[in-house]
Amino acid sequence: MVEKDEAEPGGVISEEEAAQYDRQIRLWGLEAQKRLRASRVLLVGMKGLGAEVAKNLILAGVKAVTMLDHQQVTAEDIQAQFLIPVGSLGKNRAEASLARAQDLNPMVDVKADPEDVAQKPEEFFTRFDVVCLTCCSQEVLVKVDQICHKNHIKFFMGDVFGYRGCMFADLGKHEFVEEKTKTVRASPGAEDGPDAKKAKLDLVETTLAKKCVAFCLLEEALMVSWSSEKAKAALKRTTADYFLLQVLLKFRTEKGRDPLLQSYTEDAEVLLQLRNDVLASLSVGTELLPDDFVSHCFSELAPVCAVVGGVLSQEVVKALSQRDSPLNNFFFFDGMKGNGIVECLAPS
């Protein structure tokens, strides 16, 4: 994995950094901030969601962020992606985002990589502590997750489709510490007076408990069998957005793009047919996704990007700092209802 620079033995934080990250250090502690300061992140996909994740991680004070995207800036990007300045149409999306991303926090080493993640060799990913993919095909997501799982690299994916958004985490075998509080009852004193009354007040003790949780691969999470009786019972409690994600990933695989407003009628018909095919392959009924789902999953909506990007980057920070319980393993956000749900989906 990544080694600390010799100039920073033990991940020592300078006085300037301590001042910059004072609020965060108070929130999650100096040791957690040191871990962040020593961590390198690969962020793939610099559309609206990628910009939100980049902003949050750079401000959090990781050591380095590499933004990777081989696509060119579109008119939609200029409207939805705040790191891209006006006049960048046709330029590489990662390179166009670089200057504003660097300005967010000069203490973080921010780089742009204009190459295609699908063409990167396995050793490329081993340079990072976290790999976060957005706007990628299912084939690429599965391949990179397998590489990360094998090399003990934290893996995340995220996507936004209209009013719907999601994230997935594969942290392998992840160890972390969690704060636990307990109330210690004071023994009754025999004396009277103000001091005696103070002694009788209950005290709250805070301790750090070490925990460990295991995550499954994305491929396994997407191939859950729903044929058993136990699975059928669990199906009633599973959000329909899990199945919607599979339909949208299938669309991306077949079309090489996401649904477009410019071709709404055509794409809506394709989505409905894919809904039938995907749900049939999973042995679940099409009633899980009523026909009106197609009207909610076109384009990237900035408010949905902000929410999903906030949750996704928070989980990256938790994974790197090893503080607090991580979300295991899916998070789905419904922008129509304004609520999110965590689902743990893994082979039984």
Side-chain angles (χ1 to χ4, degrees), residues 326-347:
L327 300 184
N328 186 2
N329 47 9
F330 281 101
F331 169 78
F332 295 100
F333 179 70
D334 184 342
M336 296 290 290
K337 298 179 180 177
N339 61 20
I341 185 172
V342 177
E343 290 276 12
C344 184
L345 295 162

Side-chain angles (χ1 to χ4, degrees), residues 1 33 76 105 117 133-134 146 148 155 180 204 219 252 265 285 287 306 321:
M1 291 296 291
Q33 189 65 42
E76 183 181 1
N105 188 349
V117 65
L133 270 56
T134 68
Q146 289 172 339
C148 291
F155 171 85
K180 294 290 184 181
V204 177
E219 183 178 30
R252 185 180 284 170
T265 302
E287 67 276 3
S321 65

Side-chain angles (χ1 to χ4, degrees), residues 2 46 60 102 116 309-310:
V2 179
M46 290 307 299
Q102 289 175 324
D116 188 347

Side-chain angles (χ1 to χ4, degrees), residues 81-107:
Q81 211 270 48
F82 55 82
L83 293 177
I84 295 178
V86 175
S88 300
L89 194 66
K91 296 181 180 179
N92 175 265
R93 208 149 48 191
E95 293 177 336
S97 305
L98 182 59
R100 288 184 176 178
Q102 289 175 324
D103 288 343
L104 290 171
N105 188 349
M107 297 181 186

Side-chain angles (χ1 to χ4, degrees), residues 280-300:
S281 69
L282 295 172
S283 301
V284 296
T286 57
E287 67 276 3
L288 285 174
L289 287 177
D291 290 358
D292 63 355
F293 85 89
V294 297
S295 63
H296 303 153
C297 51
F298 282 75
S299 298
E300 269 193 323

